[in-house]
Amino acid sequence: MTELHKNTYSVPEALAKNAWIDKAKYEALYRQSIEDPEGYWAEQAKRLDWIKAPTKIKNSSLDPKSVDIRWFEDGTLNASANCLDRHLETRGDQTAIIWEGDDPSESQNITYRELHARTCQLANALKALGIGKGDVVTLYMPMIPEAAVAMLACARIGAVHSVVFGGFSPDAVAQRVIGAQSKLIITADESVRGGKQVPLKDNVDAALTRQGAEVCEKVLVVKRTGGEIDWHAGRDLWYHEQVDGQSTECVAEEMGAEDPLFILYTSGSTGAPKGMKHTTGGYLTYVSLTHQYVFDYHDGDIYWCTADVGWVTGHSYIVYGPLANGGTTLMFEGVPNYPTPGRMGEVVDKHRVNILYTAPTAIRALRAHGDDVMASSTRESLRLLGSVGEPINPEAWEWYYRVIGNSKCPVVDTWWQTENGGILIAPLPGATDLKPGSATLPLFGVRPGIVDNDGNLLEGAAEGNLVILDSWPGIARSIWGDHERFTQTYFSTYPGMYFTGDGCRRDEDGYYWITGRVDDVLNVSGHRMGTAEIESALVAHDAVAEAAVVGFPHDIKGQGIYIYVTLTEGHEPSEELQKELVKWIRTEIGPIASPDVIQWAADLPKTRSGKIMRRILRKIAANETDGLGDTSTLADPSVVDELIEHRANR
Ligand code: WT7
C-alpha cells in the first residue's frame, strides 16, 4: 500500500456543539441505520410531506438475475410541492435562489413565493403544450433560474426531466433526445460563460436535424441574451410568451414514490451513455438528509454549490436537496475565474456564503496562481467547505483549507456518483475527524465493502474494488429503457453487490480513500467520460483506422486525455489532421472531451486475441515506461518500443 497522508484535523468544538450530528450520534445512528434500515428510513421519510405516507419502507433485491429496488413504494408525494409549497407558509419571503450572473453586476434573489409562482406558470404552460405524466422533457440550458424552474415544473406535472449539460454538442443532445423519446426541449437562445456566448439554440437546431430526433416536436426558448437565432415556426416557441399569461397556481400531481423524477445520462466504460433513472420518494428523502447532515445546513445559511445543473451534483445539491430543506441556494451562471481569477471568493463575499461546495479541479487551478489569487476577498462568512467529483490530493485539500477557508472551515470530501443520487461516503462536520485526501466514513444506511478481483470481501485495512452491499433510497433504479444493462453493468461483476467502478483503500481507522476508476472511465476536471465513447467518435472519422484513448495524470484536470491514432491508408500524420481530429471530437461529443495529446501510432499493442493492451498505453502516456510489466502476451512486442520512441507529451 502507498503511504497515506498523515495530518488529521479534529472536529472544531464550537461546530460540534451546534451540529446536527456529533460523534456519538453518528455512531449510534449509523449502527441503527444498518441494523434496522426499515426503522431508520421510516423515520427519515417524515422529513418529506407525503400525500399518502408510505407503510412499505424497503423492498429491494440486488440479485443479478432480477435486480429490483423499491423504497417507500406505497407512498405518494410530489417533489415540486416538497421543494416549494410546503415552505410557503413559513418562509414564503425567504430567498430560495440567489442567482449570480456571469457578469458580476448581475444578480437576483428569488423568494420561495416567486419560485413557486414561476414554477406553476411553466407547469401550466407545459400542460397546455400537451405534456403530462411520464413524458420526457429535455433541458439544455444555461445556469439561469429558469433551469431550476423547469426541473420543478416537470416534477410538478409528473413529467420526467432529462437535463443535458450545456457544454455538450448537437450530436450528444440528439443521442439523448432519441434515447429518451423526448417530445419537448427547453433551451435558451445562448448561454454566457466567462464572457463568451454559447449558441444553445443553434445546437438544438442542429441536433433536431439528426435522424430520429424528429420525435421532439416543440422547442421552448428562453431569451437570455437576445442574440440572433434561426426560428422554426410551428416548432419553436418563446418561453416568455408561453408562460406570461399562465396562472401562478398549479395543483401538483400525485406521484408514486417509485415514479421517475428524472433521467440523467452518464458515461460508462462501454457503449453509449446510460440514462440513469431516478425515482421520487427515495431520492428526495436521501438528498434532503445528506444535504442537511453533510453540509450541516441550518436555517438561514447561504449555501453555494458551484456545479452545473447538467450534472447530478447540480440536481441533488443545487436544486432538490437545498430546496427540499427550505434552504437558500446560490446558482452561478459563470466560471470560477472570470472576470478575475479570484471571482469565486468575490462571490462568497458578495452574498455572504457560509457553505461552499466545489471541485478539486477548480481548487487546483486557483492554487496554481499562488495564494495571492484570493486577495480580492476575505471569505470570512465561510463556515464549511466541500469537495466533489474526483479524488482531492492532500496538497489541494490543505490549500483549500488554509487559503480559501482561512484555516477555520472543515473540508468535507464527498464521494458519490450519478448512479447514487446523493453522497455516500463523506465526513459529517460535527462528527468526523478529517484526513486530507480521504472521503472518510459512510453515511447513514450505506454499507461499503472492498473486494479483491475475485469478489472476496476484504476485512479491516485493505485495498481493492469499492462495492456497496445493500441498496439505499437514493440509488438509481434502472437505465432508461434497458434494465438488463443496468443489472449487467452494476450487479454482475460481483454478483449481488453494487459495483462502483472505483478503486479504494480502507485504513486502520476504517476511513475510505478513493483511488480513482478501475475501469475504462476517465475523469477529466470532474467530468466523467467513457474511453469507448471517444474512441467510437474517432473511428467515425475517415482518416482514423483505429484509436485508443487513455487517461494520464494532469496537474489541474486530474486526468488528461491521451489518444493513440492509427490512420487509414492514404492519410498521413500532419498538424492539420491533428487539429481536424480535435475539432471532430468537440463536435461529436463536446469541448470537455478535447484531447490533450494525440500520438500517431503505426500500430497498437495487442494481445494475440486482438485485445488492445490499455495498461501499456496508460504507462506510456504517463511516461512510466520503466515498469511496463509483462508484455509477453503481446502479438508483436516491437510495437511498444516504437510507441515509446515517438511518445507525444514529453
Ligand atoms: C465518479 C463519479 C456525483 C459526484 C460528481 C461526479 C469520482 C466523485 C469523488 C471524491 C474521489 C470521486 C469517482 C466516481 N468521484 N467524487 N470525493 N473522491 N473520487 O459524478 O460524473 O457520476 O462521477 O467520480 O471516480 O466513480 P459522476
Side-chain angles (χ1 to χ4, degrees):
M1 278 195 224
T2 12
E3 177 86 346
L4 303 177
H5 195 70
K6 286 288 186 276
N7 280 356
T8 60
Y9 292 79
S10 37
V11 174
E13 238 166 73
L15 205 151
K17 247 199 331 238
N18 293 315
W20 291 109
I21 308 286
D22 62 16
K23 203 164 277 188
K25 272 199 195 126
Y26 170 72
E27 280 163 17
L29 288 172
Y30 182 73
R31 193 168 325 110
Q32 189 213 342
S33 74
I34 300 304
E35 285 168 4
D36 176 23
E38 303 257 345
Y40 180 80
W41 290 109
E43 201 49 39
Q44 287 302 324
K46 295 184 185 152
R47 53 176 60 247
L48 302 184
D49 264 11
W50 296 83
I51 298 169
K52 178 174 172 293
T55 63
K56 294 187 183 162
I57 303 304
K58 176 181 184 221
N59 179 7
S60 83
S61 158
L62 305 189
D63 177 344
K65 281 194 285 299
S66 60
V67 170
D68 186 1
I69 302 169
R70 301 173 205 209
W71 283 87
F72 312 122
E73 60 182 308
D74 64 346
T76 64
L77 74 168
N78 182 282
S80 166
N82 271 281
C83 290
L84 300 170
D85 307 41
R86 66 169 171 154
H87 304 314
L88 293 182
E89 206 175 304
T90 50
R91 51 177 95 239
D93 297 322
Q94 182 201 306
T95 300
I97 296 179
I98 299 172
W99 178 76
E100 169 75 12
D102 185 60
D103 177 337
S105 69
E106 278 189 276
S107 57
Q108 279 173 34
N109 283 14
I110 300 165
T111 64
Y112 272 96
R113 205 178 313 287
E114 286 161 351
L115 189 60
H116 173 264
R118 287 168 70 170
T119 299
C120 288
Q121 285 189 304
L122 178 59
N124 287 326
L126 291 175
K127 284 207 265 190
L129 290 168
I131 302 293
K133 208 173 193 166
D135 290 331
V136 179
V137 176
T138 301
L139 311 184
Y140 183 60
M141 300 190 73
M143 284 289 288
I144 53 177
E146 284 83 352
V149 168
M151 292 164 77
L152 295 166
C154 289
R156 195 160 192 94
I157 62 172
V160 180
H161 59 72
S162 168
V163 185
V164 179
F165 173 56
F168 276 129
S169 69
D171 282 320
V173 175
Q175 192 178 35
R176 288 157 175 75
V177 163
I178 297 164
Q181 292 292 294
S182 175
K183 295 201 286 194
L184 176 111
I185 297 187
I186 308 180
T187 188
D189 46 4
E190 299 176 313
S191 69
V192 198
R193 296 181 81 238
K196 293 194 201 86
Q197 281 73 36
V198 181
L200 295 182
K201 172 61 165 58
D202 286 356
N203 288 349
V204 168
D205 290 346
L208 295 188
T209 63
R210 305 293 192 265
Q211 199 190 345
E214 58 284 347
V215 57
C216 180
E217 294 159 4
K218 296 276 182 234
V219 179
L220 207 50
V221 187
V222 178
K223 191 180 260 183
R224 167 67 190 103
T225 63
E228 212 168 292
I229 53 173
D230 287 342
W231 199 257
H232 297 247
R235 186 196 75 184
D236 298 347
L237 304 161
W238 282 114
Y239 181 102
H240 58 270
E241 286 177 6
Q242 298 302 309
V243 159
D244 283 350
Q246 297 290 349
S247 158
T248 55
E249 293 292 335
C250 170
V251 177
E253 195 73 35
E254 178 171 1
M255 303 301 289
E258 284 300 342
D259 282 338
L261 177 61
F262 66 86
I263 309 173
L264 187 60
Y265 282 84
T266 189
S267 296
S269 48
T270 56
K274 301 172 289 224
M276 303 314 308
K277 173 180 140 183
H278 283 283
T279 58
T280 309
Y283 171 80
L284 204 61
T285 303
Y286 196 73
V287 296
S288 161
L289 176 146
T290 48
H291 173 262
Q292 182 189 350
Y293 292 159
V294 175
F295 302 109
D296 196 38
Y297 189 87
H298 287 80
D299 249 359
D301 283 342
I302 310 290
Y303 159 92
W304 179 21
C305 165
T306 69
D308 190 284
V309 290
W311 310 117
V312 75
T313 310
H315 284 60
S316 301
Y317 298 112
I318 295 177
V319 179
Y320 286 114
L323 296 180
N325 291 341
T328 298
T329 179
L330 192 150
M331 187 177 197
F332 177 43
E333 184 181 38
V335 295
N337 59 355
Y338 174 86
T340 58
R343 177 78 189 272
M344 206 152 86
E346 292 156 24
V347 174
V348 167
D349 282 5
K350 176 173 173 186
H351 298 291
R352 310 290 305 157
V353 171
N354 307 114
I355 303 163
L356 173 67
Y357 188 31
T358 192
T361 188
I363 298 162
R364 289 191 300 260
L366 281 172
R367 178 171 178 260
H369 288 278
D371 295 8
D372 283 350
V373 70
M374 298 315 285
S376 60
S377 55
T378 69
R379 299 160 315 296
E380 62 190 4
S381 54
L382 287 175
R383 196 182 76 230
L384 183 69
L385 302 172
S387 171
V388 62
E390 45 177 323
I392 179 163
N393 40 314
E395 298 72 26
W397 194 107
E398 299 273 7
W399 193 85
Y400 193 24
Y401 179 82
R402 180 174 61 80
V403 180
I404 298 195
N406 298 313
S407 299
K408 61 165 200 187
C409 308
V411 176
V412 292
D413 176 7
T414 65
W415 175 84
W416 60 298
Q417 312 174 293
T418 304
E419 294 85 342
N420 305 160
I423 301 165
L424 296 193
I425 302 181
L428 300 182
T432 320
D433 296 336
L434 305 173
K435 301 187 191 187
S438 170
T440 76
L441 299 170
L443 296 184
F444 303 126
V446 176
R447 286 178 55 199
I450 294 182
V451 295
D452 64 18
N453 289 339
D454 300 322
N456 302 305
L457 269 173
L458 306 175
E459 298 293 328
E463 180 160 1
N465 306 298
L466 181 63
V467 295
I468 313 290
L469 301 172
D470 200 353
S471 89
W472 62 97
I475 187 177
R477 305 301 196 253
S478 194
I479 291 173
W480 195 256
D482 198 348
H483 193 66
E484 175 62 29
R485 189 176 177 205
F486 181 68
T487 301
Q488 270 299 319
T489 308
Y490 301 106
F491 302 94
S492 72
T493 315
Y494 305 110
M497 306 172 190
Y498 168 80
F499 179 40
T500 63
D502 279 323
C504 184
R505 263 188 314 250
R506 186 172 47 216
D507 70 16
E508 59 288 352
D509 297 323
Y511 275 41
Y512 290 84
W513 300 72
I514 309 298
T515 53
R517 303 289 304 198
V518 294
D519 53 12
D520 292 321
V521 170
L522 303 182
N523 191 328
V524 179
S525 302
H527 298 318
R528 175 166 161 185
M529 264 168 284
T531 50
E533 227 177 296
I534 306 173
E535 286 163 7
S536 65
L538 278 163
V539 295
H541 189 285
D542 358 302
V544 178
E546 199 168 31
V549 175
V550 298
F552 70 98
H554 188 288
D555 284 348
I556 305 286
K557 301 183 188 178
Q559 270 188 316
I561 302 179
Y562 195 112
I563 297 183
Y564 299 86
V565 173
T566 45
L567 295 173
T568 47
E569 248 180 66
H571 292 275
E572 292 300 325
S574 71
E575 221 157 280
E576 281 96 83
L577 184 55
Q578 172 142 348
K579 284 200 191 115
E580 155 90 19
L581 290 182
V582 172
K583 201 170 136 225
W584 178 261
I585 295 171
R586 290 170 71 96
T587 48
E588 290 279 309
I589 301 173
I592 56 171
S594 300
D596 296 277
V597 182
I598 295 184
Q599 173 166 1
W600 309 112
D603 208 347
L604 295 173
K606 290 186 188 153
T607 61
R608 285 184 203 98
S609 59
K611 204 167 165 308
I612 295 176
M613 289 188 76
R614 287 164 192 286
R615 178 176 59 78
I616 291 177
L617 294 176
R618 268 186 225 118
K619 292 260 183 189
I620 297 173
N623 202 7
E624 290 171 7
T625 46
D626 288 343
L628 281 185
D630 183 15
T631 53
S632 63
T633 55
L634 279 174
D636 177 3
S638 73
V639 170
V640 174
D641 300 330
E642 164 94 14
L643 286 176
I644 293 173
E645 195 179 326
H646 296 105
R647 245 189 99 248
N649 66 339
R650 291 173 241 250

